[in-house]
Amino acid sequence: MKKRMSLLLAIMLMAILVLAACGGGQTAEQPNQGDTQTEQTPPAEGEGKETEPPAEGQDESQGYFEAEDPSANPANALARKDTLIVGMTAPKGVFNPFYWQTAYDRYVVDAIFDSFFSLNGDGTYNNRLAESVEVSEDKLKYTFKLKQGVTYSNGEPVTVKDYAFAMKVLHDKSYDGQSDILSVNVKGGKEYYDGKTDEISGIKVIDDHTVEIEVTEANAMTKDNLGTVFFVPESYYGKDYKHGNLEYMKDLHSKPIGSGQYVLKSYSPGQEVVLEANPNYFLGAPKIKNVIYKTTTDETKLAMFQSGEIDMDMVSVSEDNVEAVKLMGFLDYNMFPYNGYGYVALNHKDPKFQDQKVRQALLYGLNRAEIVEIIYGPYANVINIPQSSESWAYTNEGIEPYEFDMEKAKQLLDEAGWVPGADGIREKDGKKFEIHFSATANNPVIDALIPIMTKNYQDLGIKLTAETLDFNAIMDKKDKGEFEMFFAAWGLTPDPDSTVYITDGQQNDLGYSNPEYDAAMKKGLNAFDLEERKAAYAEAYRILNQDVPDLPIYQRRDMWAINSRLKGIDITPYKNFAIDLYKAEIEQ
């Protein structure tokens, strides 16, 4: 149940970044959420620190590097004894575990809510709210025991009845978030979705701390998908619940109540989110009392570090930015391969993008290597499948690299019936080949992408018209299907299961469909043997590589700059900083 978080999560694709399918896909955390979209796809987070500089010949493009001169820390930062300020792209304000879309909203959700399981740095899961989990021999029954003594921030006790309620919300036909809970095959879930029953027969509350879930069909992600559903107080989120009508839930997006590490104190759209430590958190009160998520841009964040206005942020990885962070002296930096990729989306409901040869031409005719070199230098690679090179599911066997080839692109467009008109712009059936491209404003990726794409496509006989908007405005266009082409990034879950390209998938915003791909993905999810899963996903990626549902551009390095005063910030390619934020502390 994880897809690429739509967390088009943002930090602006260059600023440096929900869930849909249940099997792991891309968001690395909640299964019924999935991949995450980001402007600049938020980076993952780093593991342990290196205490010495890299050895000669060691790869300096990734690792945890400590500040060279902590004494250079600005006075503004040193004056904050109990407050952490994290810079990021502005969240949309959907702080609801059922509906969040962007990585930035997810950072809030992960600080406020908990689930049975929590994500480890390597992409596996450990028990959080779960005391224990028992799985039947046939893998069709899962018994979760909730830890004793856990309360919500409003003082109410947490019980598994709240979990059962959350499952009802996700199974409700009126639910329009990114979770694809039906793919988990909970017994009676489809009947509840269809309105034939008022209860989900496969969910049995044994007592306040024990719940049994029965599924009709199990797969490799079933346990993780069931264990990553967030707990919410039914008394609050379910007060106005009527089967088939979740409209009221939108009023609660910016008023979250959870059992997690922090409590929302205030939210100023476009400016900041203020969190306060939950003194009754069951794992212990967070060491940092106040956490503020402050809105930054690629243009402002380095100056805000220097002035002490922010303590940590994702910084776009470029040779200039890496050098700038080093020169400040007081910043640690954590750099690693981003678990995700930047891409250009195509609307498959648009007739001109429905021809495979046209899509292949758009990829051959775009100089992606030049774009990546300008933006990231040695800190990114051109990609040809929607998967991280770090993943166990990654493959390059049988994968066409689509190296820049203008003649090949022209030939494919000719074969597709798009021929140059008198003005040089290609035409077919009386229509000009024109593309309207939406991109994030003030984004270094876009600053490099648009000029090259415009020139390449002009040479190909295509007129490209670009508009720049803020990230959330592009997400709104995406949600409404009112786009031809836009640029964004997907943050991936640890498991390759994803609904981003599945026919009618929860995270399929492109309108793409390929039955062969669907079958390969299903085979991969349903297999329990890792080698069988690898083979199935390799086939799925070969199908996408040939069919080109969108234009994959790069997998970059992510870099989090972190004030050297901060200790215990845990970030890896799979795990975001908010998951174990309660462990972090400010060195006095």
Side-chain angles (χ1 to χ4, degrees), residues 398-447:
I399 300 300
E400 168 61 39
Y402 288 97
E403 294 179 358
F404 182 53
D405 188 336
M406 187 61 70
E407 295 309 310
K408 176 70 171 177
K410 289 179 178 179
Q411 177 186 336
L412 285 166
L413 287 178
D414 289 342
E415 293 174 3
W418 289 94
V419 297
D423 58 0
I425 302 299
R426 290 179 180 267
E427 302 175 351
K428 182 178 180 180
D429 299 330
K431 293 186 177 181
K432 297 281 188 181
F433 202 141
E434 298 179 341
I435 297 175
H436 189 269
F437 179 61
S438 300
T440 308
N442 302 316
N443 184 327
V445 171
I446 299 307
D447 292 344

Side-chain angles (χ1 to χ4, degrees), residues 111-400:
I112 294 176
F113 297 91
D114 270 333
S115 55
F116 278 129
F117 294 162
S118 180
L119 193 68
N120 295 316
D122 63 0
T124 60
Y125 291 91
N126 62 70
N127 287 357
R128 188 79 150 212
L129 291 178
E131 182 66 40
S132 64
V133 185
E134 294 180 4
V135 182
S136 64
E137 189 173 346
D138 61 6
K139 295 183 172 61
L140 296 180
K141 286 188 178 181
Y142 299 77
T143 303
F144 289 84
K145 285 193 175 295
L146 174 69
K147 289 180 178 176
Q148 300 280 336
V150 183
T151 60
Y152 291 109
S153 59
N154 63 2
E156 292 184 13
V158 176
T159 77
V160 296
K161 294 175 185 176
D162 300 318
Y163 175 90
F165 166 70
M167 292 291 276
K168 281 186 175 182
V169 170
L170 296 174
H171 280 90
D172 199 288
K173 193 160 192 173
S174 66
Y175 172 72
D176 60 356
Q178 296 188 62
S179 172
D180 184 19
I181 195 71
L182 288 177
S183 67
V184 183
N185 303 309
V186 175
K187 183 179 179 181
K190 183 61 165 61
E191 288 76 10
Y192 187 85
Y193 175 84
D194 290 334
K196 296 178 181 178
T197 177
D198 289 331
E199 298 295 332
I200 301 174
S201 61
I203 299 177
K204 295 181 180 178
V205 173
I206 308 300
D207 57 44
D208 283 353
H209 294 85
T210 310
V211 63
E212 179 185 277
I213 302 101
E214 182 177 359
V215 299
T216 57
E217 180 182 341
N219 59 50
M221 289 304 298
T222 299
K223 185 174 78 169
D224 289 345
N225 287 333
L226 293 174
T228 49
V229 172
F230 283 116
F231 274 68
V232 300
E234 181 178 9
S235 62
Y236 179 69
Y237 286 92
K239 181 166 61 73
D240 297 316
Y241 178 62
K242 292 183 178 63
H243 193 175
N245 185 3
L246 289 169
E247 188 64 24
Y248 75 94
M249 192 79 77
K250 295 178 182 177
D251 294 334
L252 306 179
H253 285 352
S254 61
K255 306 169 189 175
I257 293 179
S259 63
Q261 312 159 79
Y262 284 85
V263 176
L264 180 69
K265 296 302 292 182
S266 65
Y267 167 54
S268 302
Q271 299 179 47
E272 65 180 24
V273 177
V274 180
L275 303 169
E276 185 175 85
N278 177 0
N280 301 314
Y281 187 49
F282 79 102
L283 290 175
K287 296 180 174 66
I288 300 176
K289 181 180 179 181
N290 307 297
V291 176
I292 298 173
Y293 296 170
K294 182 178 287 292
T295 297
T296 59
T297 68
D298 229 35
E299 290 70 32
T300 64
K301 62 184 63 179
L302 290 177
M304 293 173 75
F305 270 123
Q306 191 70 69
S307 66
E309 292 177 74
I310 58 175
D311 295 306
M312 56 183 282
D313 201 340
M314 185 186 302
V315 177
S316 302
V317 179
S318 68
E319 292 173 289
D320 287 346
N321 283 350
V322 172
E323 187 62 22
V325 167
K326 287 182 181 179
L327 287 175
M328 286 189 205
F330 61 89
L331 294 175
D332 295 352
Y333 65 96
N334 185 5
M335 188 152 52
F336 43 81
Y338 171 59
N339 187 42
Y341 60 95
Y343 72 106
V344 172
L346 308 176
N347 191 336
H348 286 251
K349 294 180 181 178
D350 188 322
K352 63 177 172 282
F353 295 135
Q354 292 172 357
D355 190 322
Q356 182 192 84
K357 289 184 177 180
V358 169
R359 301 192 299 271
Q360 290 177 339
L362 292 174
L363 197 52
Y364 276 118
L366 181 61
N367 196 336
R368 296 178 295 157
E370 182 181 9
I371 293 167
V372 170
E373 174 62 28
I374 290 173
I375 301 167
Y376 294 112
Y379 299 112
N381 305 95
V382 171
I383 64 163
N384 293 292
I385 63 171
Q387 184 54 268
S388 166
S389 60
E390 302 294 297
S391 170
W392 57 261
Y394 178 81
T395 184
N396 59 11
E397 293 183 12
I399 300 300
E400 168 61 39

Side-chain angles (χ1 to χ4, degrees), residues 10-30:
I11 284 187
M12 296 212 111
L13 244 209
M14 263 273 73
I16 7 226
L17 86 107
V18 276
L19 285 335
C22 275
Q26 284 101 114
T27 210
E29 353 223 1
Q30 230 165 274

